[in-house]
PDB file of all heavy atoms in Angstrom:
ATOM      1  N   MET A1303      19.379 -23.227 -22.523  1.00 56.00           N
ATOM      2  CA  MET A1303      18.157 -22.432 -23.007  1.00 56.00           C
ATOM      3  C   MET A1303      17.146 -22.309 -21.799  1.00 56.00           C
ATOM      4  O   MET A1303      16.975 -23.329 -21.091  1.00 56.00           O
ATOM      5  CB  MET A1303      17.574 -23.181 -24.141  1.00 56.00           C
ATOM      6  CG  MET A1303      16.621 -22.296 -25.061  1.00 56.00           C
ATOM      7  SD  MET A1303      15.967 -23.136 -26.437  1.00 56.00           S
ATOM      8  CE  MET A1303      17.158 -22.818 -27.696  1.00 56.00           C
ATOM      9  N   THR A1304      16.536 -21.113 -21.629  1.00 61.00           N
ATOM     10  CA  THR A1304      15.610 -20.974 -20.529  1.00 61.00           C
ATOM     11  C   THR A1304      14.326 -21.636 -20.957  1.00 61.00           C
ATOM     12  O   THR A1304      14.077 -21.998 -22.117  1.00 61.00           O
ATOM     13  CB  THR A1304      15.327 -19.489 -20.273  1.00 61.00           C
ATOM     14  OG1 THR A1304      14.711 -18.970 -21.532  1.00 61.00           O
ATOM     15  CG2 THR A1304      16.594 -18.672 -19.988  1.00 61.00           C
ATOM     16  N   ASP A1305      13.420 -21.813 -19.881  1.00 58.00           N
ATOM     17  CA  ASP A1305      12.099 -22.462 -20.199  1.00 58.00           C
ATOM     18  C   ASP A1305      11.348 -21.634 -21.252  1.00 58.00           C
ATOM     19  O   ASP A1305      10.652 -22.072 -22.088  1.00 58.00           O
ATOM     20  CB  ASP A1305      11.224 -22.441 -18.938  1.00 58.00           C
ATOM     21  CG  ASP A1305      11.634 -23.620 -18.088  1.00 58.00           C
ATOM     22  OD1 ASP A1305      12.524 -24.439 -18.594  1.00 58.00           O
ATOM     23  OD2 ASP A1305      11.221 -23.727 -16.946  1.00 58.00           O
ATOM     24  N   GLN A1306      11.465 -20.264 -21.145  1.00 59.00           N
ATOM     25  CA  GLN A1306      10.695 -19.407 -22.056  1.00 59.00           C
ATOM     26  C   GLN A1306      11.312 -19.524 -23.490  1.00 59.00           C
ATOM     27  O   GLN A1306      10.564 -19.566 -24.420  1.00 59.00           O
ATOM     28  CB  GLN A1306      10.913 -18.005 -21.569  1.00 59.00           C
ATOM     29  CG  GLN A1306       9.981 -17.065 -22.436  1.00 59.00           C
ATOM     30  CD  GLN A1306       9.949 -15.561 -21.967  1.00 59.00           C
ATOM     31  OE1 GLN A1306      10.698 -15.302 -21.009  1.00 59.00           O
ATOM     32  NE2 GLN A1306       9.174 -14.851 -22.544  1.00 59.00           N
ATOM     33  N   GLU A1307      12.605 -19.619 -23.538  1.00 60.00           N
ATOM     34  CA  GLU A1307      13.264 -19.782 -24.974  1.00 60.00           C
ATOM     35  C   GLU A1307      12.764 -21.092 -25.484  1.00 60.00           C
ATOM     36  O   GLU A1307      12.464 -21.218 -26.759  1.00 60.00           O
ATOM     37  CB  GLU A1307      14.762 -19.735 -24.822  1.00 60.00           C
ATOM     38  CG  GLU A1307      15.174 -18.223 -24.747  1.00 60.00           C
ATOM     39  CD  GLU A1307      16.714 -18.175 -24.298  1.00 60.00           C
ATOM     40  OE1 GLU A1307      17.200 -19.227 -23.780  1.00 60.00           O
ATOM     41  OE2 GLU A1307      17.287 -17.120 -24.562  1.00 60.00           O
ATOM     42  N   ASN A1308      12.742 -22.160 -24.679  1.00 54.00           N
ATOM     43  CA  ASN A1308      12.229 -23.485 -25.125  1.00 54.00           C
ATOM     44  C   ASN A1308      10.881 -23.393 -25.688  1.00 54.00           C
ATOM     45  O   ASN A1308      10.495 -23.873 -26.708  1.00 54.00           O
ATOM     46  CB  ASN A1308      12.258 -24.501 -23.972  1.00 54.00           C
ATOM     47  CG  ASN A1308      13.491 -25.297 -24.011  1.00 54.00           C
ATOM     48  OD1 ASN A1308      14.001 -25.587 -24.999  1.00 54.00           O
ATOM     49  ND2 ASN A1308      13.915 -25.720 -22.789  1.00 54.00           N
ATOM     50  N   TRP A1309       9.975 -22.727 -24.937  1.00 57.00           N
ATOM     51  CA  TRP A1309       8.587 -22.532 -25.315  1.00 57.00           C
ATOM     52  C   TRP A1309       8.524 -21.826 -26.688  1.00 57.00           C
ATOM     53  O   TRP A1309       7.773 -22.135 -27.538  1.00 57.00           O
ATOM     54  CB  TRP A1309       7.842 -21.794 -24.188  1.00 57.00           C
ATOM     55  CG  TRP A1309       6.534 -21.293 -24.587  1.00 57.00           C
ATOM     56  CD1 TRP A1309       6.153 -19.996 -24.702  1.00 57.00           C
ATOM     57  CD2 TRP A1309       5.346 -22.044 -24.941  1.00 57.00           C
ATOM     58  NE1 TRP A1309       4.852 -19.935 -25.108  1.00 57.00           N
ATOM     59  CE2 TRP A1309       4.299 -21.163 -25.297  1.00 57.00           C
ATOM     60  CE3 TRP A1309       5.059 -23.403 -25.002  1.00 57.00           C
ATOM     61  CZ2 TRP A1309       3.049 -21.597 -25.649  1.00 57.00           C
ATOM     62  CZ3 TRP A1309       3.771 -23.778 -25.366  1.00 57.00           C
ATOM     63  CH2 TRP A1309       2.727 -22.948 -25.744  1.00 57.00           C
ATOM     64  N   GLN A1310       9.307 -20.694 -26.767  1.00 56.00           N
ATOM     65  CA  GLN A1310       9.226 -19.965 -28.012  1.00 56.00           C
ATOM     66  C   GLN A1310       9.720 -20.813 -29.278  1.00 56.00           C
ATOM     67  O   GLN A1310       9.392 -20.619 -30.412  1.00 56.00           O
ATOM     68  CB  GLN A1310      10.137 -18.687 -27.872  1.00 56.00           C
ATOM     69  CG  GLN A1310       9.456 -17.652 -26.926  1.00 56.00           C
ATOM     70  CD  GLN A1310      10.235 -16.428 -26.690  1.00 56.00           C
ATOM     71  OE1 GLN A1310      11.462 -16.457 -26.932  1.00 56.00           O
ATOM     72  NE2 GLN A1310       9.615 -15.439 -26.087  1.00 56.00           N
ATOM     73  N   GLU A1311      10.668 -21.645 -28.901  1.00 68.00           N
ATOM     74  CA  GLU A1311      11.213 -22.411 -30.053  1.00 68.00           C
ATOM     75  C   GLU A1311      10.352 -23.604 -30.429  1.00 68.00           C
ATOM     76  O   GLU A1311      10.576 -24.254 -31.488  1.00 68.00           O
ATOM     77  CB  GLU A1311      12.654 -23.079 -29.641  1.00 68.00           C
ATOM     78  CG  GLU A1311      13.774 -21.957 -29.524  1.00 68.00           C
ATOM     79  CD  GLU A1311      13.905 -21.273 -30.906  1.00 68.00           C
ATOM     80  OE1 GLU A1311      13.960 -21.926 -31.990  1.00 68.00           O
ATOM     81  OE2 GLU A1311      13.999 -19.962 -30.946  1.00 68.00           O
ATOM     82  N   ASN A1312       9.464 -23.944 -29.519  1.00 90.00           N
ATOM     83  CA  ASN A1312       8.689 -25.144 -29.534  1.00 90.00           C
ATOM     84  C   ASN A1312       7.776 -25.229 -30.830  1.00 90.00           C
ATOM     85  O   ASN A1312       6.978 -24.331 -31.003  1.00 90.00           O
ATOM     86  CB  ASN A1312       7.783 -25.350 -28.353  1.00 90.00           C
ATOM     87  CG  ASN A1312       7.400 -26.648 -28.106  1.00 90.00           C
ATOM     88  OD1 ASN A1312       7.822 -27.544 -28.842  1.00 90.00           O
ATOM     89  ND2 ASN A1312       6.553 -26.903 -27.104  1.00 90.00           N
ATOM     90  N   VAL A1313       8.130 -26.089 -31.694  1.00 92.00           N
ATOM     91  CA  VAL A1313       7.267 -26.210 -33.010  1.00 92.00           C
ATOM     92  C   VAL A1313       6.546 -27.494 -33.019  1.00 92.00           C
ATOM     93  O   VAL A1313       7.035 -28.503 -32.403  1.00 92.00           O
ATOM     94  CB  VAL A1313       8.042 -25.998 -34.242  1.00 92.00           C
ATOM     95  CG1 VAL A1313       8.591 -24.607 -34.367  1.00 92.00           C
ATOM     96  CG2 VAL A1313       9.107 -27.040 -34.318  1.00 92.00           C
ATOM     97  N   SER A1330       5.153 -22.934 -34.891  1.00 93.00           N
ATOM     98  CA  SER A1330       5.559 -22.511 -33.551  1.00 93.00           C
ATOM     99  C   SER A1330       4.331 -22.499 -32.638  1.00 93.00           C
ATOM    100  O   SER A1330       3.208 -21.992 -32.964  1.00 93.00           O
ATOM    101  CB  SER A1330       6.163 -21.173 -33.494  1.00 93.00           C
ATOM    102  OG  SER A1330       6.163 -20.598 -32.160  1.00 93.00           O
ATOM    103  N   CYS A1331       4.507 -23.114 -31.401  1.00 93.00           N
ATOM    104  CA  CYS A1331       3.277 -23.183 -30.507  1.00 93.00           C
ATOM    105  C   CYS A1331       2.754 -21.799 -30.007  1.00 93.00           C
ATOM    106  O   CYS A1331       1.735 -21.706 -29.429  1.00 93.00           O
ATOM    107  CB  CYS A1331       3.605 -24.081 -29.274  1.00 93.00           C
ATOM    108  SG  CYS A1331       3.791 -25.786 -29.746  1.00 93.00           S
ATOM    109  N   ARG A1332       3.662 -20.777 -30.200  1.00 93.00           N
ATOM    110  CA  ARG A1332       3.222 -19.471 -29.719  1.00 93.00           C
ATOM    111  C   ARG A1332       2.606 -18.655 -30.890  1.00 93.00           C
ATOM    112  O   ARG A1332       2.188 -17.531 -30.666  1.00 93.00           O
ATOM    113  CB  ARG A1332       4.356 -18.746 -29.107  1.00 93.00           C
ATOM    114  CG  ARG A1332       5.535 -18.415 -30.036  1.00 93.00           C
ATOM    115  CD  ARG A1332       6.726 -18.052 -29.287  1.00 93.00           C
ATOM    116  NE  ARG A1332       6.583 -16.750 -28.707  1.00 93.00           N
ATOM    117  CZ  ARG A1332       6.992 -15.628 -29.296  1.00 93.00           C
ATOM    118  NH1 ARG A1332       7.429 -15.675 -30.528  1.00 93.00           N
ATOM    119  NH2 ARG A1332       6.919 -14.446 -28.748  1.00 93.00           N
TER     120      ARG A1332
END
Side-chain angles (χ1 to χ4, degrees):
M1303 201 179 267
T1304 64
D1305 282 352
Q1306 188 176 5
E1307 282 165 341
N1308 261 330
W1309 165 247
Q1310 287 177 348
E1311 289 301 313
N1312 201 3
V1313 293
S1330 163
C1331 290
R1332 64 193 290 270

